[in-house]
Amino acid sequence: MNLSGIIGYPVTPFNQESGALDFEKLGLVIDKLLVSKVDAIAALGSAGEAAYLNQTEWEQVAKYTVKHVAGRVPVVIGIAELTTEQAIERAKYAHLVGADVVMVSPLSYYKLSEAEIYQHYKSISHASPLPIMIYNNPATCGVDMTPQFMLKIVAEIGNACMIKESSGDIQRMHKIFTLSNAKVPFFNGCNHLALEALNAGASGWCTAAPCLIDEQPKRLFDAVQSGKQEEAKALFYQQYSFLEFIVNTGLAAAVKTGLAFQGLPVGHPRKPLLPLTEALETQLKGLLTELNSLS
């Protein structure tokens, strides 16, 4: 799987009254990302509130996303489960419905050893033929994997072939690049590091930003790829305050609020998550107006 570019993350819409999944709105969110020229769709990540969905809902979102995208771009399905058994079942289901990649982050209650994490990935690889993106997201999952350890997984476990690095430490990306001799694809998962990460050799940028600011992340990626550094720098700093805002206020809440501003109401995030306060709504509206994402 040759994955690169902007990997767009849809939110999961809920009916405002019943709280049920709203698949019509999910289709519209996916379409919005595709119009924004994302190079892949990654369902069931943090922005998609995967941790707050029950098993049936998770499966329904995975299946609908693959069907709606219909091969136009690759589909990545996020998996973050406490048990290996649950992760295996979800990886099998992602393969069954036609996903292209699974993005696997080990989720920790007890502190996991490297041997336990290694076996977790190995078991998933044996159970499903899909390519595995190793996802390091210590702030959310409680597991922090070193570049050396992730590269060991890639070298020794057949389907593990790419890395998403979201620790917020740009040096991790430099390490992945140099230790692998630039042979292992890695992806930036931290919005505020997008420019540095792409210049450090990242194959792409995983972000929910195109849900609200359309092609602007893609234009940044293309500028870096074309060696247009001044243009890339200008594009990044135009987006920077917005990118920082949606992370600091919660991706699901911020993106859902922004979509409502743009005429696509997709419900509130699922409790215990709360919608943005009125003050934060005003701040977001101002940021989007500056970025010409509101008329």
Side-chain angles (χ1 to χ4, degrees):
M1 169 57 61
N2 185 19
L3 198 64
S4 65
I6 300 298
I7 302 179
Y9 283 67
V11 294
T12 300
F14 301 120
N15 180 280
Q16 193 66 39
E17 284 72 38
S18 68
L21 297 174
D22 189 330
F23 292 105
E24 181 181 356
K25 295 286 180 64
L26 177 56
L28 293 174
V29 173
I30 292 170
D31 289 341
K32 196 173 192 299
L33 287 170
L34 293 171
V35 169
S36 300
K37 298 184 180 179
V38 300
D39 299 285
I41 297 286
L44 297 162
S46 299
E49 299 177 73
Y52 303 96
L53 305 179
N54 63 38
Q55 180 174 336
T56 298
E57 290 174 326
W58 187 95
E59 291 179 353
Q60 288 174 330
V61 170
K63 183 177 182 178
Y64 180 88
T65 300
V66 172
K67 182 178 180 180
H68 190 81
V69 172
R72 287 175 284 179
V73 296
V75 173
V76 181
I77 297 295
I79 297 174
E81 298 297 323
L82 278 171
T83 71
T84 300
E85 180 183 10
Q86 290 170 331
I88 285 172
E89 289 306 309
R90 295 203 165 177
K92 286 180 176 178
Y93 189 80
H95 177 240
L96 178 68
V97 298
D100 298 287
V101 178
V102 287
M103 179 180 66
V104 178
S105 179
L107 194 63
S108 175
Y109 177 82
Y110 290 109
K111 183 175 176 61
L112 300 177
S113 68
E114 285 192 348
E116 289 167 330
I117 298 167
Y118 184 94
Q119 189 59 49
H120 184 71
Y121 280 103
K122 185 175 181 180
S123 298
I124 294 168
S125 180
H126 284 172
S128 167
L130 290 179
I132 296 172
M133 179 186 289
I134 301 167
Y135 183 14
N136 189 45
N137 188 8
T140 299
C141 295
V143 174
D144 191 3
M145 297 178 281
T146 66
Q148 292 88 340
F149 177 59
M150 290 189 286
L151 290 171
K152 172 184 169 70
I153 294 174
V154 170
E156 298 179 3
I157 295 177
N159 293 327
C161 56
M162 62 191 99
I163 295 169
K164 178 183 174 185
E165 170 54 50
S166 295
S167 68
D169 180 0
I170 190 64
Q171 297 306 319
R172 305 283 189 98
M173 300 190 201
H174 291 311
K175 282 287 187 185
I176 294 168
F177 184 87
T178 56
L179 291 174
S180 73
N181 294 314
K183 292 180 180 178
V184 175
F186 65 93
F187 295 80
N188 172 53
C190 293
N191 279 323
H192 65 282
L193 290 181
L195 180 60
E196 291 174 278
L198 294 172
N199 280 324
S203 297
W205 172 18
C206 303
T207 179
C211 289
L212 298 180
I213 61 172
D214 307 320
E215 295 179 34
Q216 295 187 58
K218 179 65 171 175
R219 288 202 292 268
L220 170 57
F221 176 82
D222 288 345
V224 173
Q225 294 302 110
S226 300
K228 300 175 181 177
Q229 286 301 316
E230 289 305 313
E231 180 182 342
K233 185 176 179 181
L235 287 166
F236 175 68
Y237 283 111
Q238 286 171 13
Q239 302 171 45
Y240 180 78
S241 294
F242 164 79
L243 297 172
E244 187 177 44
F245 178 91
I246 63 173
V247 173
N248 290 343
T249 58
L251 283 173
V255 173
K256 286 186 168 184
T257 297
L259 287 171
F261 290 159
Q262 295 176 345
L264 180 52
V266 291
H268 292 316
R270 184 165 279 178
K271 292 179 179 178
L273 300 179
L274 294 174
L276 297 188
T277 63
E278 186 174 342
L280 289 174
E281 285 188 3
T282 300
Q283 188 176 346
L284 176 58
K285 186 174 288 186
L287 289 167
L288 290 175
T289 301
E290 288 178 11
L291 288 166
N292 299 316
S293 293
L294 287 180
S295 56

